[in-house]
Amino acid sequence: MWRVLVSDDMRLGEVRYPGVLLDYRPEIGREELLEVIPAYDALITRSRTQVDAELLRRGKRLKVVGRGGVGVDNVDLEAASRLGILVVNVPEANTRSAAELAFGLLLAAARGIALSDRKIRAGEWDRKFLGLELKGKTLGIVGLGRIGSQVARFAKGFEMRVLAYDPYIPKTRAESLGVELLEDLSDMLRQSHFLTVHTPLTEETRGMIGRRELYLLPRGAVVVNAARGGIVDEKALLEVLEEGHLFAAGLDVFAEEPPPKDHPLLQHPKVVLTAHLGANTLEAQDRVGEAVLERVVRTLEGDLSYAL
Ligand code: NAD
Ligand code: MLT
């Protein structure tokens, strides 16, 4: 019998596997997780659970970690590899939803949608607010992978000019999307009225959009981060917003999640926020849940084709 622990909110679907005992504990806390993990052959998570070296070491029977989604920045891949624990993810299942949310934040920031909503509820009928139109503007995309590419397609539909900075992809991918791939990030920033980041969080991307980069954007630009907290430096973003250089920002992700209640970006009127909801649609979560369970079971059975 394989014992599989699910430590995050998931929609696992109807399919169950003989010989697999599932424990669904989406609210489990760190201390309890450390206590119970030795009993499990596999752990399935999203971003809530920090799958660090300590947790992996405690998992004496642990053979597989399944990440329900794409980002594995919450999994210590090095420690897993040292301990012979395989890691699988479902990178393609939430692409569409994440791209739709990123574009939604972009529109919401450009048109003051959340701001107007708050004002009306507070009894203020403010029709003086002037937003920004997307048509004819330039969108800069950092990271033209699955999600970045889908955002580019949406932007084309809005008749935007689309630029991308991604040193790891062939020019042909950008060309096939009608996107201009630039070799220099600064060059792209200088031209981008809208900026959206779609890279993983790595040593290289942490803080890659800081004060200097934000000031390279044209005055009145809009910045969206629906990838990972910290790719756009939060302190710099706040400063540059307060100094009036940016029109607005949209954030789905935070350096610390949930962000502290007194986080100044949470109070800022020009920032529209969502609670790491990029992958949270019924459709994406059905795909993610079914696929991650299937991949974990297949990996436990010896199929190595999904292992990272
Ligand atoms: P992907 O691997 O398809 O694309 C990432 C792209 O970033 C790649 O093309 C890669 O070459 C590029 N890249 C890496 N380092 C870079 C750098 N230093 N500069 C420029 N480009 C760089 O991944 P994806 O499926 O598009 O997902 C991207 C990220 O979005 C995930 O890693 C995850 O962190 C985040 N995400 C967030 C949500 C959410 O709920 N908000 C949902 C899904 C994914
Ligand atoms: C991901 O990396 O797939 C996202 O952060 C979404 C999620 O964790 O559900």
Side-chain angles (χ1 to χ4, degrees), residues 8 10-12 90 94 136 184 187 189-190 226 242 246 248 256 275 278 291 301:
D8 219 325
M10 291 269 176
R11 289 168 62 86
L12 292 163
V90 192
N94 61 30
D184 181 34
D187 192 11
L189 295 173
R190 280 190 201 95
E242 286 191 334
L246 296 177
E256 186 185 334
E301 289 168 348

Side-chain angles (χ1 to χ4, degrees), residues 113-131:
I113 292 174
L115 181 65
S116 184
D117 177 275
R118 280 195 301 273
K119 283 191 176 183
I120 294 173
R121 288 170 200 271
E124 194 185 340
W125 186 251
D126 174 7
R127 293 194 67 239
K128 289 188 296 296
F129 177 87
L130 292 178

Side-chain angles (χ1 to χ4, degrees), residues 98-235:
E100 288 181 2
L101 193 276
F103 215 83
L105 284 176
L106 192 146
L107 283 167
R111 300 305 304 272
I113 292 174
L115 181 65
S116 184
D117 177 275
R118 280 195 301 273
K119 283 191 176 183
I120 294 173
R121 288 170 200 271
E124 194 185 340
W125 186 251
D126 174 7
R127 293 194 67 239
K128 289 188 296 296
F129 177 87
L130 292 178
L132 302 172
E133 219 170 53
L134 304 194
K135 183 179 174 185
K137 302 281 172 44
T138 299
L139 172 68
I141 301 178
V142 183
L144 195 66
R146 284 173 290 261
I147 299 170
S149 299
Q150 187 55 55
V151 169
R153 287 185 201 101
F154 292 149
K156 286 279 171 189
F158 277 82
E159 300 177 62
M160 299 181 86
R161 173 183 175 227
V162 186
L163 308 178
Y165 170 74
D166 187 330
Y168 304 108
I169 59 155
K171 247 197 156 97
T172 47
R173 186 189 306 168
E175 279 164 9
S176 68
L177 292 161
V179 171
E180 294 167 55
L181 190 64
L182 299 188
E183 283 173 15
D184 181 34
L185 175 61
S186 302
D187 192 11
M188 183 183 84
L189 295 173
R190 280 190 201 95
Q191 303 180 57
S192 301
H193 307 108
F194 293 82
L195 177 74
T196 183
V197 296
H198 297 289
T199 68
L201 181 66
T202 63
E203 285 309 304
E204 205 183 26
T205 62
R206 191 186 296 276
M208 87 185 279
I209 305 298
R211 188 179 170 82
R212 179 190 159 274
E213 289 72 24
L214 292 170
Y215 263 104
L216 288 175
L217 296 167
R219 193 175 175 80
V222 170
V223 174
V224 170
N225 183 4
R228 277 296 179 271
I231 297 173
V232 177
D233 183 273
E234 291 177 353
K235 186 168 167 282

Side-chain angles (χ1 to χ4, degrees), residues 8 45-48 67-73 90-91 94 227-228 253 276 278-280 285 288:
D8 219 325
T45 75
R46 283 174 67 190
S47 56
R48 191 182 76 95
R67 171 62 167 89
V70 48
V72 282
D73 47 292
V90 192
N94 61 30
R228 277 296 179 271
V253 287
H276 200 147
N280 278 39
Q285 285 311 308
V288 165

